[in-house]
Amino acid sequence: MSKHQHNAPLPDPVLRVKALESLLIEKGLVDPAALDLLIDTYENQVGPRNGARVVARAWTDPSYRSRLLRDATAAIAEMGFEGRQGEDMVVVENTERVHNLVVCTLCSCYPWPVLGLPPVWYKAAPYRARAVREPRKVLAEFGVDLVDGVEVRVWDSTAELRYLVLPRRPDGTERLSEQELAELVTRDSMIGAGVVPGSKSTDT
Amino acid sequence: MKRLEADQVDAVLRRGATARRSDGQPPRFARGDRVRVLNLHPYGHTRMPRYVRGRCGVVDRDHGLFVLPDSNAHGLGECPQHVYSVRFTGVELWGPEAPDADRVHVDLWDCYLTAEPDGTEE
């Protein structure tokens, strides 16, 4: 159901984007077909399902997991995911003792080839400020309650490296196929702002 | 400015544009070294977050050579330098009330850092 009312004026940012787009096209600076392809790529082709496939493979294939932790860029490229904003990747692994959380305090850097474009909260000032200052409170607000003694490692990706969290595999999933496992993996668990439903590291 | 055509989109996205370089300044630090972030407040572009300036940490890993944004953003050349993941304790950054087991890793260029032989962190 669209909430759009035909007689309501469009919001300012939408009007501004439309004005800029038509000017850029009119001046020949932008190919509208290229623009459509770019939008389609990040709306429909590239997203967190890519990262979920990487995670599921790491859970089921120990040699892939060690390649992924040693040279994430190459291991992710093996799955066909590479390029813009994923040129230099690092994968950090959650364990019984360590929970990783990714943030970009200076802007909104995010590993596009495996996670797509960042969610709004990831780009918002409160998350960027608080993830480094009080990560346990932020995690609790996301529903991640850490057991006492678990180390929280926050990765501030303000340089050229992009980070993906390898979340913990839930217990009782030994019989699931790689594809079924991939379906369990959530976007937030690969940022560290969540855990895969059913997995420990939380005391729920 | 070169216009991006529709038939180039896939290849351009796939290729990306890495800021990693094979040649540049030799590294001044190695894994395990104690370092302090310089207390600098440049007017231009920098990737040195304010909350780590003047703080002490430990080099956790060396990511290799990358274009230095502080010079490149101003058209002053790529000046590739090593980028390190520097590990800070929550206590060092936020004071004694921060949980003991909090760590923040920040990727910092070589020229942002100075050796800290007497550091007490970790």
Side-chain angles (χ1 to χ4, degrees), chain A residues 78-97:
Chain A
E78 279 179 45
M79 308 277 291
F81 311 132
E82 59 189 343
R84 204 93 194 159
Q85 289 299 312
E87 293 94 341
D88 295 282
M89 289 291 305
V90 175
V91 169
V92 290
E93 185 180 35
N94 284 351
T95 67
E96 216 173 316
R97 309 167 70 96

Side-chain angles (χ1 to χ4, degrees), chain A residues 22-183:
Chain A
S22 40
L23 264 174
L24 288 165
I25 291 169
E26 203 174 296
K27 288 182 179 290
L29 294 169
V30 163
D31 173 7
L35 199 57
D36 288 345
L37 266 174
L38 281 168
I39 292 167
D40 179 65
T41 300
Y42 291 106
E43 270 190 353
N44 302 314
Q45 325 274 331
V46 178
R49 298 339 298 160
N50 291 359
R53 286 181 53 200
V54 170
V55 168
R57 182 155 174 214
W59 282 347
T60 51
D61 178 347
S63 83
Y64 183 74
R65 175 184 159 273
S66 52
R67 290 202 297 286
L68 185 66
L69 295 173
R70 199 176 54 241
D71 183 351
T73 314
I76 290 167
E78 279 179 45
M79 308 277 291
F81 311 132
E82 59 189 343
R84 204 93 194 159
Q85 289 299 312
E87 293 94 341
D88 295 282
M89 289 291 305
V90 175
V91 169
V92 290
E93 185 180 35
N94 284 351
T95 67
E96 216 173 316
R97 309 167 70 96
V98 176
H99 184 91
N100 294 283
L101 178 67
V102 182
V103 63
C104 177
T105 58
L106 293 183
C107 50
S108 56
C109 296
Y110 195 70
W112 294 0
V114 280
L115 293 186
L117 298 181
V120 171
W121 57 260
Y122 184 89
K123 299 184 275 186
Y127 176 74
R128 287 160 44 205
R130 295 182 59 222
V132 289
R133 175 70 183 83
E134 46 184 19
R136 284 168 209 268
K137 282 187 189 162
V138 171
L139 286 168
E141 288 168 22
F142 275 104
V144 181
D145 293 310
L146 297 172
V147 180
D148 280 350
V150 169
E151 177 182 331
V152 171
R153 265 180 219 166
V154 181
W155 299 84
D156 188 354
S157 58
T158 53
E160 312 296 358
L161 289 305
R162 298 292 171 265
Y163 290 84
L164 182 75
V165 174
L166 175 56
R168 294 181 71 196
R169 178 176 175 166
D171 289 338
T173 56
E174 294 75 15
R175 287 162 190 275
L176 295 187
S177 68
E178 195 179 315
Q179 198 182 332
E180 288 168 324
L181 286 167
E183 283 163 17

